[in-house]
Amino acid sequence: MRILGIETSCDETAISVIETSGPPAKPRIKILSNIVSSQVKLHAKFGGVVPHLAKREHQRNLVPVLLRALKEADLSQRAKSKEKREMRGSYDSGSLIIDSILEREPELLKRFKKHIVPLKPPKIDAIAATVGPGLAPALWVGVNFARALSFLWSKPVIPVNHLEGHIYANLLSAKWEIANGQSSILNFSFPALCLIVSGGHTELVLMRGYGKYRIIGETLDDAAGEAFDKAAKMMRLGFPGGPAIAAMAAEAIKKKKEKRKDDEKNEVALPRPMLKSKNYDFSFSGLKTAVLYLLRARPELLKSRRGKAAVAKEFQDAVVDVLVAKTIRAARQYRVKTVMIGGGVSANQLLREKLKKAIRKNAPHASCLMPHTSLTGDNALMIALAGYFNRNKKSARNNLRADANLRLDSTRKL
Ligand code: KG4
Ligand code: ZN
């Protein structure tokens, strides 16, 4: 089966084509293409993702990204003149429909007519598209693009929950890059526990089978990634904050080895919110406020690199301590057989290392999967893969809608 995945939930425009073969439950995956066009530089100027700019960029990027993804997958053929007439004919007869599908994305429609309509329909079996959660204006561009392609090429669309994509990214063997884009689905057992940590979400998800999700805890306010971004802003480290804080914290770790007399003046302590609470919920907005008060009380901390590094390290330690402790407690209580992580914050090396160590020590009944660091951020490969596991949930084109607040425990109703 060949699946084309489309991802536009936030600030990455991404398209990927995968080919699956072998046993349905444990298929071999061939990654024919995996293109990600990031808008991060644009949004960095504003200190965060600006939804209407994300929508505009997706409109500009989707067609070139699709053309690249098809070309790399060796699936792009311009129609010969006779076929072209036929394609044109089929577009003309359906043009009113396609025009109305893309009426709110006029820039995309223009490019669609110019570059996509003349193509021969590629040999794919389905289109998997992220329908939520995410930024509504950004999601709609991808959803409408998928609907237009589905109409033009007569292919079904599989609606995909973005967070489910982050979960499935754990199942690809890290070796896929080396082996020419080939991967098999890694062995793992249910029940599985997945810690999802992204810019918009922080949740602990219990998975009892494919598509069977229960959210056992989630953040009551800011997501972990959001907390990294806001703390980094206060420390004037730029956007996105996660990698910037991680890099600063690494300096503190390095510098700790060369002890200095004045180190004491950079000693800082931040709270570990809800570490001891009995449930699996999180709260990071208090931690962000604690950073604000700390920097107000001791502005000199921001004047030296050592001071900044000390705050970054303590902040990262605080977030990671809470995430790891709650994940381990849940892994033990539910006697899970697998622990996974997903979302942008799962790129964080400290989180990865501490979680691995804690599982070995305190939850040895569970094995640990983690996505390859090239797949922790948003990408369409994980969407195509989630599409494969949801291949029986094809949606009627007209029912396909973006849902900014889509929850994992409602995935079955898609
Ligand atoms: O999953 P993602 O790419 O987008 C959403 O779906 O939200 O996650 C983006 C988030 C941002 O908040 C970013 O600061 C954070 O992931 N992030 C990190 C790291 N790399 C990205 N946070 C901590 N450490 C990192 N190395
Ligand atoms: Zn994401």
Side-chain angles (χ1 to χ4, degrees):
M1 192 175 181
R2 262 193 216 136
I3 301 178
L4 180 122
I6 301 178
E7 157 62 36
T8 65
S9 68
C10 194
D11 59 345
E12 328 282 352
T13 315
I15 297 191
S16 165
V17 185
I18 61 167
E19 187 177 278
T20 64
S21 57
K26 201 174 177 300
R28 277 196 71 71
I29 311 287
K30 196 166 173 189
I31 297 141
L32 301 182
S33 58
N34 181 24
I35 312 292
V36 180
S37 164
S38 177
Q39 310 167 6
V40 72
K41 279 199 187 124
L42 170 75
H43 298 287
K45 287 186 225 146
F46 301 92
V49 181
V50 185
H52 78 272
L53 289 182
K55 172 180 166 150
R56 186 192 75 190
E57 291 304 295
H58 288 312
Q59 280 199 66
R60 289 182 181 165
N61 297 338
L62 270 170
V63 166
V65 169
L66 174 64
L67 293 174
R68 254 187 79 193
L70 290 177
K71 190 161 182 232
E72 274 192 21
D74 209 9
L75 291 172
S76 64
Q77 279 187 50
R78 285 186 78 80
K80 299 200 182 85
S81 34
K82 180 172 162 255
E83 289 162 337
K84 220 182 233 166
R85 275 197 301 279
E86 279 166 24
M87 289 299 301
R88 197 74 253 163
S90 81
Y91 169 71
D92 286 344
S93 62
S95 66
L96 273 179
I97 297 174
I98 290 186
D99 289 2
S100 80
I101 292 175
L102 293 177
E103 73 184 344
R104 295 196 180 178
E105 287 86 22
E107 246 192 287
L108 177 59
L109 178 62
K110 217 166 61 197
R111 289 178 162 83
F112 191 93
K113 283 184 185 165
K114 185 162 176 208
H115 300 286
I116 307 297
V117 170
L119 291 183
K120 241 170 134 168
K123 290 193 176 113
I124 57 167
D125 300 286
I127 298 163
T130 301
V131 295
L135 303 170
L139 285 165
W140 271 112
V141 189
V143 165
N144 286 336
F145 188 57
R147 288 172 65 214
L149 289 175
S150 155
F151 187 83
L152 182 73
W153 294 339
S154 304
K155 305 288 177 199
V157 184
I158 307 165
V160 170
N161 180 312
H162 177 80
L163 301 181
E164 197 173 16
H166 278 306
I167 294 178
Y168 282 119
N170 283 275
L171 306 189
L172 286 172
S173 149
K175 291 192 206 110
W176 64 265
E177 277 181 326
I178 308 154
N180 283 330
Q182 294 264 7
S183 173
S184 45
I185 294 299
L186 293 175
N187 276 328
F188 79 106
S189 315
F190 296 114
L193 177 72
C194 189
L195 170 70
I196 295 180
V197 268
S198 71
H201 294 84
T202 295
E203 33 190 77
L204 271 169
V205 180
L206 188 66
M207 196 178 172
R208 293 209 183 271
Y210 285 107
K212 288 190 187 157
Y213 303 107
R214 202 178 120 206
I215 300 169
I216 58 168
E218 62 194 308
T219 183
L220 304 175
D221 39 59
D222 292 351
E226 196 178 352
F228 267 101
D229 293 339
K230 287 178 178 168
K233 205 169 186 175
M234 289 179 222
M235 295 170 66
R236 291 181 229 120
L237 290 177
F239 176 84
I245 287 193
M248 244 1 230
E251 281 192 24
I253 296 161
K254 222 162 65 196
K255 284 184 177 138
K256 214 174 157 193
K257 288 177 194 145
E258 4 162 319
K259 272 219 168 288
R260 271 185 9 192
K261 267 200 212 133
D262 58 354
D263 273 350
E264 277 154 38
K265 80 174 196 282
N266 291 327
E267 267 170 26
V268 290
L270 289 167
R272 268 64 175 158
M274 295 184 76
L275 183 71
K276 299 254 152 67
S277 71
K278 294 234 153 50
N279 56 26
Y280 295 111
D281 289 334
F282 302 92
S283 165
F284 291 108
S285 94
L287 178 60
K288 169 194 73 187
T289 314
V291 174
L292 181 74
Y293 288 157
L294 173 71
L295 297 177
R296 251 191 220 158
R298 294 167 59 187
E300 74 282 359
L301 282 169
L302 286 190
K303 295 205 177 104
S304 74
R305 251 191 120 77
R306 265 182 123 84
K308 268 193 191 185
V311 180
K313 178 179 177 304
E314 175 65 5
F315 176 83
Q316 179 176 249
D317 284 347
V319 176
V320 170
D321 283 352
V322 180
L323 293 174
V324 171
K326 294 230 164 180
T327 307
I328 294 299
R329 200 149 54 72
R332 287 166 66 96
Q333 184 186 332
Y334 292 93
R335 296 293 302 171
V336 300
K337 300 215 172 93
T338 314
V339 176
M340 312 183 204
I341 54 173
V345 184
S346 70
N348 189 281
Q349 283 305 327
L350 184 76
L351 173 62
R352 294 169 79 97
E353 280 157 27
K354 278 206 165 168
L355 188 60
K356 262 188 236 162
K357 263 195 209 149
I359 291 169
R360 242 179 277 137
K361 190 162 169 234
N362 299 318
H365 46 86
S367 62
C368 177
L369 292 184
M370 287 186 182
H372 192 261
T373 43
S374 64
L375 293 179
T376 51
D378 292 345
N379 63 83
L381 169 56
M382 68 186 194
I383 303 303
L385 190 60
Y388 172 78
F389 284 102
N390 286 290
R391 59 195 175 281
N392 298 326
K393 294 183 199 153
K394 289 168 192 142
S395 165
R397 231 174 353 247
N398 294 336
N399 293 342
L400 200 70
R401 304 186 59 78
D403 180 354
N405 301 313
L406 185 66
R407 285 176 67 84
L408 263 176
D409 40 14
S410 65
T411 298
R412 302 203 118 226
K413 284 180 223 136
L414 279 176

